[in-house]
Amino acid sequence: MTKKQNIVVANFKMNLNTKLELDHWFANFLKAKKNLRLSNTEIVLCPPFLHLDVFTKKIKSKLVEFGTQNCFWEQKGAFTGEVSPAIIRSLGGRYVILGHSERRKYLGESDEIVALKVAGALKAGLYPILCVGENAREKQNDMLFAVVSKQLKSCLSGVSRGRIENVTICYESVWAISANKPDHLPTSNEIMGVKLLIKKILTKKYGSVAANRVRVIYGGSVVGKTAEDVCVSPGVNGALVGGASLVPYDFIKIAQIIDGQ
Ligand code: PEP
């Protein structure tokens, strides 16, 4: 797989739950994607685990890769209810979203757990999309840089220089996720500041050559109307898209805007 400069990731979360919803989404996505040209951007669709197989069978396109929203850190064994990176790979998944704030909040995932998962995913040949970012309280207390630094350093503790370029870092301002209000977004300058911080930390640990190869993207209420401001202006390499990924025309529009930058 050739790595593109930009990446636009759909995080469907726990949605598309019925066959009807799924069929409706596929029909609209295939229509929206017709005649789509992207020169330097890949689309990654991350459905719920149980839909991965049907996604890879229904959508055959050089522009689209697949992933999941989580995985376990071991490759196989007595871990009831967990899904291994190896299964994801064997079903055609290439990416995995890890450290998402909803998993940190509702499932108690710590940086230590996320670090194990990042290492386990890389071992299986998956490309982790590692989420870092501050919540509303941390933002109010001016802790943005401290939180992002700590999460990034801890979650990458098991990642070597040889593998770091397979990781995409997603800065998600947690307070902006699902907010969908234009005045409830970080500014382009704030996002650029976090991107520079991430690059600085990566450069210190892995050197500038490896750090330059790591894609940094933004997530949190990205829709067609906001993609220019929160992705193109701050010069990030793409977006993690939640709500708008359920609306194929808007999702494809985001990919086009990011590709045109
Ligand atoms: C997310 O939760 O990863 C996300 C980006 O959600 P939304 O786009 O709906 O804010």
Side-chain angles (χ1 to χ4, degrees):
M1 194 182 88
T2 342
K3 186 169 143 186
K4 304 260 174 69
Q5 179 186 308
N6 303 315
I7 178 170
V8 179
V9 185
N11 175 12
F12 297 107
K13 309 196 183 190
M14 202 173 68
N15 291 303
L16 302 179
N17 294 326
T18 63
K19 187 168 176 324
L20 199 70
E21 284 175 275
L22 205 51
D23 287 346
H24 188 248
W25 188 90
F26 279 130
N28 280 329
F29 182 77
L30 294 173
K31 262 191 252 161
K33 198 184 73 56
K34 220 171 171 196
N35 303 322
L36 175 68
R37 300 267 177 280
L38 295 175
S39 53
N40 217 355
T41 302
E42 60 187 304
I43 287 175
V44 178
L45 305 178
C46 297
F49 283 129
L50 291 174
H51 289 336
L52 181 59
D53 200 34
V54 69
F55 264 74
T56 59
K57 287 186 175 132
K58 282 255 187 194
I59 300 170
K60 303 271 180 212
S61 164
K62 285 199 180 103
L63 303 178
V64 182
E65 293 286 345
F66 303 92
T68 58
Q69 302 162 24
N70 178 35
C71 70
F72 194 57
W73 57 82
E74 295 289 352
Q75 307 300 319
K76 64 188 282 194
F79 303 102
T80 303
E82 290 298 332
V83 174
S84 75
I87 296 176
I88 297 167
R89 278 290 272 132
S90 79
L91 288 178
R94 295 305 309 246
Y95 286 88
V96 58
I97 300 169
L98 292 172
H100 193 279
S101 59
E102 286 154 14
R103 295 197 61 83
R104 292 176 188 264
K105 180 174 170 189
Y106 299 117
L107 283 301
E109 282 195 10
S110 61
D111 287 339
E112 291 66 35
I113 288 177
V114 178
L116 287 172
K117 292 186 172 192
V118 170
L122 285 169
K123 193 171 165 195
L126 286 177
Y127 301 139
I129 297 159
L130 169 64
C131 300
V132 294
E134 85 291 7
N135 62 29
R137 183 187 47 80
E138 290 161 343
K139 180 178 167 56
Q140 260 170 14
N141 292 329
D142 245 349
M143 291 165 67
L144 163 57
F145 277 25
V147 168
V148 170
S149 304
K150 159 138 189 342
Q151 289 177 340
L152 193 64
K153 287 177 191 164
S154 308
C155 298
L156 293 179
S157 59
V159 180
S160 65
R161 183 181 298 223
R163 282 192 165 154
I164 187 62
E165 69 175 284
N166 293 342
V167 181
T168 296
I169 310 293
C170 178
Y171 166 53
E172 289 210 295
S173 39
V174 175
W175 49 272
I177 291 178
S178 307
N180 294 322
K181 290 187 209 132
D183 58 345
H184 210 73
L185 280 172
T187 64
S188 156
N189 271 347
E190 281 167 340
I191 297 170
M192 199 190 298
V194 178
K195 176 192 147 177
L196 293 176
L197 170 76
I198 291 170
K199 288 285 182 180
K200 198 169 141 194
I201 293 169
L202 294 175
T203 304
K204 194 161 173 214
K205 181 163 181 191
Y206 299 106
S208 58
V209 175
N212 280 338
R213 293 201 182 117
V214 178
R215 292 179 294 199
V216 178
I217 64 175
Y218 169 77
S221 290
V222 183
V223 295
K225 276 193 194 138
T226 56
E228 184 81 34
D229 286 348
V230 292
C231 299
V232 179
S233 304
V236 294
N237 303 103
L240 177 58
V241 184
S245 67
L246 298 169
V247 187
Y249 285 94
D250 208 32
F251 181 69
I252 295 292
K253 187 172 166 199
I254 296 168
Q256 286 171 315
I257 291 170
I258 284 165
D259 193 56
Q261 70 180 310

